[in-house]
Every structure is written in C-alpha cells, then in structure tokens.
Amino acid sequence: MVSREHKKDALHDKLQILRSITHSHAINDTSIVLDASNYIKELKHKVEILNEEIATTESSTTQNMWPRVSVETLEKGFLVNVHSGRSCPGLLVSILATFEELGLNVLEARVSCGDNFHLQALGGDNEEDEESMDAQTVKRTITNAIKNWSGSIE
C-alpha cells in the first residue's frame, strides 16, 4: 500500500510541476495533461515560425551577398549594371574579361569599388552578327563569371 501511495504522490507532484511549467490553471489531472499537450503544440508552432524567419533571413543575406546583375538591350549593344552591397576585389577584372569573351567593347563605364561595388557599363558589339546575342545571354554569362569569381576568392 505504501508503494502505491508513494507512486500516487510522486505522480501528483510531477503533474503539479507540469502545471506550473505550462502555466495551466487546471485542477484535475486530465486537464493538466491536456493543457500541457496544447502548450507543446503552441511551442512547436513557435519553433516553426522562428525557423521560417531564420531561413528567410539567411536567404536574403545570401542574396544580398551576391552581386545583382541587370542587362538591357540598347540600339547598338547592352547596358550592364552590376551592384553589390559589399566590396568585391577582383570582380571588375572578371567582368571585363567576360565582356571580352562575349566580343563586347566597353564603350562607356562607371565603376565604384569602395565599401560596395557598382558597375554600369555600355557594351557594344564588335562582331558583325549582332543578332546572335541577346540580353539574357549576356546576363547569364556575367552571372557565371561572378560565380566563378566568388569560387576563386573562397
């Protein structure tokens, strides 16, 4: 009998601890366990939300680290903009080498390479088959050059 009373008291003590941890106002044991179950569900939901926020923050941080590239088609060539919120040593050289690979002459360019990187360049075709290259091809090639550049600095 003593053992049974001891187990019952121990269970009651544990339920009271559970009640206090989960901030339950329930009195009977079943309600305490039900409140604890709901509390656990609530905590799981909060963890999911926090994990989503972390993933969003990490992805936006990763995206902000990569230079953004935009390319517009002009009458005789392309207007290329590359921007990054951080300094990118060596990136200008990689992009200019890509212009050369594409057969584009840099007709005009503005570059800022201080705490951040910004390039605005007007590239003109120096080949006769101007129709063969489009803005998407130029953007894809410059983006690949940026990926290769980032792999070489890591």
Side-chain angles (χ1 to χ4, degrees), residues 86-91 146-154:
R86 64 183 177 108
S87 178
C88 300
L91 181 58
I146 290 170
K147 287 178 184 174
N148 292 338
W149 164 82
S150 73
S152 69
I153 63 167
E154 291 177 352

Side-chain angles (χ1 to χ4, degrees), residues 12 15-16 19 23-35:
H12 180 72
L15 283 170
Q16 293 307 311
R19 180 177 178 236
H23 309 291
S24 172
H25 299 292
I27 296 172
N28 70 27
D29 296 347
T30 306
S31 296
I32 293 171
V33 171
L34 189 61
D35 285 350

Side-chain angles (χ1 to χ4, degrees), residues 71-84:
V71 179
E72 294 177 41
T73 304
L74 302 176
E75 189 175 321
K76 292 189 176 185
F78 303 95
L79 178 62
V80 177
N81 282 293
V82 181
H83 179 74
S84 175

Side-chain angles (χ1 to χ4, degrees), residues 68-138:
R68 291 184 308 276
V69 179
S70 67
V71 179
E72 294 177 41
T73 304
L74 302 176
E75 189 175 321
K76 292 189 176 185
F78 303 95
L79 178 62
V80 177
N81 282 293
V82 181
H83 179 74
S84 175
R86 64 183 177 108
S87 178
C88 300
L91 181 58
L92 179 61
V93 174
S94 296
I95 293 172
L96 292 177
T98 303
F99 267 72
E100 213 172 280
E101 289 171 21
L102 289 169
L104 294 173
N105 288 325
V106 178
L107 304 174
E108 186 179 324
R110 286 185 219 129
V111 182
S112 170
C113 299
D115 292 336
N116 58 21
F117 178 87
H118 185 83
L119 165 69
Q120 183 177 39
L122 178 60
D125 262 338
N126 66 1
E127 296 180 10
E128 294 176 15
D129 58 338
E130 292 180 18
E131 301 301 316
S132 66
M133 193 171 3
D134 63 351
Q136 280 302 107
T137 303
V138 174

